[in-house]
Amino acid sequence: MILSKIKEKSELYFTEIQEIRHHIHAHPELSFHEVNTAAFIADKLKTWGIKYQAGIAGTGIIAIIEGREPGKRCIALRADMDALPIEEKNEITYKSQNKGVMHACGHDVHTSCLLGAAHILNDLRDEFTGSVKLIFQPGEEMHPGGASLMIAAGVLENPRPDSIFALHVYPALPAGTVGFRPGKYMASADEIYITIEGKGGHAALPHQSVDTIAVAAFLITGLQQVVSRKANPLIPSVLTFGKIQGGFTTNVIPEKVEIQGTFRTMDEKWRKEAHQWIKDFTLSTCAAYGAQVTIEIPEGYPCVYNDPELTGKAIEWANAFAGSANVHALDMRMTGEDFSFYTHHIPGCFFRLGTNRDNKEFLAPVHNAHFDIDESALKTGMGMMAWCALNALKS
Ligand code: NI
């Protein structure tokens, strides 16, 4: 009964939500600068008569839709609003008008789906018990993550949600489908910054210098032991150095080499142990060569933990919504996502929204200049968010 109403409304509001998405897509803003996007969202909420509060952690917005007995239970739905520093290469009517900035990770889709769910839930507010909290957050793509700032600003209090849901576009699956993984789903992601310093000198007189290039080479190779020898083989871990910079020419030993990388894993205890091992190994290796070193591993995002019970229920709800043939099981992945912060405070479920067309079109991956979606996915996205909220309120 309520499911058919949600589906009818997803069809009814499709054109409106599609236009909203086109507007947000054409006007992308970088992390923590989502000023116009937030104003646009606030304007829609106001038009629909939904109470909201803007300016949370900068550009964040929270809104509340109250059903009957609003104090009884509360479910949160979250979307991220920021875009990436990528020049869009799609030739579409709603192409990015902000040079060098693009919604290449689909956060325009997430925001549009949440607005769609808000519109639907607001219509149905006499038909559910409890309240739904909508969280539009800034800066998912940038350290320290808008989610951590929103939590610090109190979005998980007054009222405290019983659980939280979010979706993310997924070009590997077709529109009309969704994907889930209970338990650990996405990795913690921490950045590593190492600067090695030594005495520079003539390449032909290495005994009079400290060869920072040789130290860096040994260090990069040696640090891989954290994955191959230190990590429990049953815990996924990855260490990648994406930047190494030092030196100028063939015959000079440089004074300084900088190395930057990322460490990712799926276990919070091991994550801390690994950081310590990486630091200790770096300090002792450089000391053995007589080089000075500084190493910093600023804390990034924790791993996304999908509450198994909540996610198990969500899979059942998705089966009812989309048909079990359209509900897929997902593998773990080593990419990061700041929704993880919420999942370490309250039970959370982060699921994937299929966005390609029949596995033939819209296959460009996220963070790619050609990324776009089959927009029929907006119906599934807004409907699923509303449907999950109403089911979770009852369970
Ligand atoms: Ni994203």
Side-chain angles (χ1 to χ4, degrees), residues 2 26 235 270 292 294 303:
I2 200 87
I235 303 173
W270 160 238
Q292 306 290 314
T294 55
C303 72

Side-chain angles (χ1 to χ4, degrees), residues 80 105-107 110 140-141 168 337 367:
D80 39 14
C105 198
H107 299 188
H110 310 163
E140 191 285 320
E141 301 281 0
H168 200 291
E337 159 67 50
H367 293 218

Side-chain angles (χ1 to χ4, degrees), residues 16-29:
E16 180 184 30
I17 298 305
Q18 190 180 29
E19 281 166 8
I20 285 174
R21 191 235 160 187
H22 290 176
H23 179 90
I24 299 173
H25 190 91
H27 302 91
E29 294 173 294

Side-chain angles (χ1 to χ4, degrees), residues 194 219-227 239 241 277-278 281-282:
I194 299 173
L219 189 61
I220 287 172
T221 315
L223 280 172
Q224 288 300 333
Q225 301 263 335
V226 76
V227 176
L239 175 69
F241 288 101
W277 190 86
I278 291 167
F281 185 88
T282 300

